[in-house]
Amino acid sequence: MPDAGQRPDQQEPIDQTDLQTDRPHSARVYDYIMGGKDNFVADRETAATVLADWPGLRTSMLANRACMHRMARHLADQGIRQFIDVGTGIPSSPNLHEVVQEAAPDARVVYVDNDPIVLAHARALLASSPEGRTAYIQADMRSPGTLLDDPALAATLDLTRPVALTLIAVLQFVEDAQALVEALVAPLPSGSYLALTIPTGDLAPESAHLAAEYTRRGIPMYLRDRAQVERLIAGLEPVAPGVVPMPRWHPAPGEEILPDTATNMYAVAARKP
């Protein structure tokens, strides 16, 4: 395992000079809908419009967060101790590292996002367990080479050992999601996992209106059908039950499962052979 590098209190000063508050950002729209305070007028206006079209969006977002927690625990239970979370978003406890370090205190997590507001909260993300390690990379996921070459990644993770790559509700903002997934998975060793949730037009009929409104407001959104999601994991070994509506991915025992149409997302995890 590489040297852990700087501890949280040794991080470089955070640059908050360009928060781009005049335009909506997906992480801040999400923050507002989930009851957060780190958002601006453009984000709130976008959220109000999409919620008017589909009031169930908040339910879907809550289900997505719950699914992320289940995926993180499942992967930790499979022995994974290294995670790369791309498109982290504004912190909302429990964050991924809190979930996995509850099961495995020595787990290491690298968070990746490009929003300056998320960067401003990086110190909160870096509150690792004493045995583990977290780091934060400011990078655009659409430039995977920059992300993978960042010194913080090499200082935190050992890429000769299995890694879980989590892409939770972010691929809808990438036009060529297939190329991005392939680029991110390629350097990961055998035994690594890809876990993703992704919006679709197959389930909730309001999804098309949602995607159109986000796109109209400068946040291009691309929905994927089941066949497209299955292609994203081509060459990998799907974890049962495969590609399913998000609430059906390993629900907790006794948990009431939402109807498929209550969310607009598929979930899947797959292992690299």
Side-chain angles (χ1 to χ4, degrees), residues 14-25 28 40 43 115-120 138:
I14 295 173
D15 181 2
Q16 303 180 45
T17 56
D18 184 11
L19 299 182
Q20 300 179 342
T21 62
D22 60 333
R23 68 194 78 172
H25 188 284
R28 301 195 299 258
F40 300 95
D43 309 305
D115 182 18
I117 287 286
V118 178
L119 178 60
Q138 186 179 24

Side-chain angles (χ1 to χ4, degrees), residues 161-222:
R161 298 172 58 190
V163 175
L165 170 66
T166 58
L167 298 166
I168 305 299
V170 293
L171 291 177
Q172 68 269 30
F173 303 118
V174 181
E175 184 172 9
D176 193 349
Q178 189 73 46
L180 174 62
V181 168
E182 291 174 359
L184 290 173
V185 170
L188 304 182
S190 174
S192 293
Y193 285 84
L194 167 68
L196 60 88
T197 63
I198 185 167
T200 179
D202 294 350
L203 303 174
E206 297 87 352
S207 294
H209 298 295
L210 174 72
E213 185 60 29
Y214 266 79
T215 301
R216 188 180 74 81
R217 290 178 176 265
I219 310 174
M221 179 180 285
Y222 308 91

Side-chain angles (χ1 to χ4, degrees), residues 22 71 89 103 127 162 189 192 237 241 248:
D22 60 333
M71 286 179 152
S192 293
E237 301 168 347
R248 296 186 179 276

Side-chain angles (χ1 to χ4, degrees), residues 11-263:
Q11 297 297 312
E12 293 297 322
I14 295 173
D15 181 2
Q16 303 180 45
T17 56
D18 184 11
L19 299 182
Q20 300 179 342
T21 62
D22 60 333
R23 68 194 78 172
H25 188 284
S26 57
R28 301 195 299 258
V29 174
Y30 175 90
D31 175 75
Y32 175 73
I33 293 174
M34 296 293 282
K37 299 179 180 178
D38 295 292
N39 47 75
F40 300 95
V41 171
D43 309 305
R44 296 191 284 273
E45 290 177 345
T46 299
T49 301
V50 297
L51 284 171
D53 284 341
W54 184 26
L57 177 58
R58 186 172 188 272
T59 297
S60 188
M61 287 180 169
L62 286 168
N64 175 70
R65 187 150 189 87
C67 187
M68 181 273 282
H69 293 162
R70 297 196 305 273
M71 286 179 152
R73 291 190 192 99
H74 180 86
L75 295 173
D77 288 344
Q78 301 306 303
I80 299 298
R81 297 294 180 265
Q82 303 188 114
F83 293 77
I84 304 173
D85 183 53
V86 178
T88 295
I90 295 168
S92 179
S93 187
N95 295 295
L96 188 145
H97 75 276
E98 294 171 305
V99 174
V100 298
Q101 289 180 350
E102 182 178 356
D106 60 337
R108 295 186 168 209
V109 178
V110 173
Y111 290 109
V112 183
D113 207 290
N114 71 331
D115 182 18
I117 287 286
V118 178
L119 178 60
H121 285 278
R123 295 191 190 280
L125 289 174
L126 291 168
S128 172
S129 69
E131 303 92 334
R133 177 79 169 110
T134 61
Y136 179 84
I137 296 173
Q138 186 179 24
D140 192 320
M141 62 182 172
R142 290 163 294 191
S143 300
T146 302
L147 184 167
L148 294 166
D149 291 340
D150 194 286
L153 186 70
T156 308
L157 305 182
D158 179 356
L159 293 186
T160 68
R161 298 172 58 190
V163 175
L165 170 66
T166 58
L167 298 166
I168 305 299
V170 293
L171 291 177
Q172 68 269 30
F173 303 118
V174 181
E175 184 172 9
D176 193 349
Q178 189 73 46
L180 174 62
V181 168
E182 291 174 359
L184 290 173
V185 170
L188 304 182
S190 174
S192 293
Y193 285 84
L194 167 68
L196 60 88
T197 63
I198 185 167
T200 179
D202 294 350
L203 303 174
E206 297 87 352
S207 294
H209 298 295
L210 174 72
E213 185 60 29
Y214 266 79
T215 301
R216 188 180 74 81
R217 290 178 176 265
I219 310 174
M221 179 180 285
Y222 308 91
L223 304 179
R224 266 85 191 196
D225 61 26
R226 184 188 180 94
Q228 289 173 307
V229 177
E230 289 174 341
R231 284 196 291 273
L232 290 174
I233 61 168
L236 306 179
E237 301 168 347
V239 173
V243 177
V244 292
M246 190 167 55
R248 296 186 179 276
W249 200 91
H250 289 262
E255 178 182 353
E256 182 178 353
I257 301 175
L258 292 170
D260 292 351
T261 54
T263 76

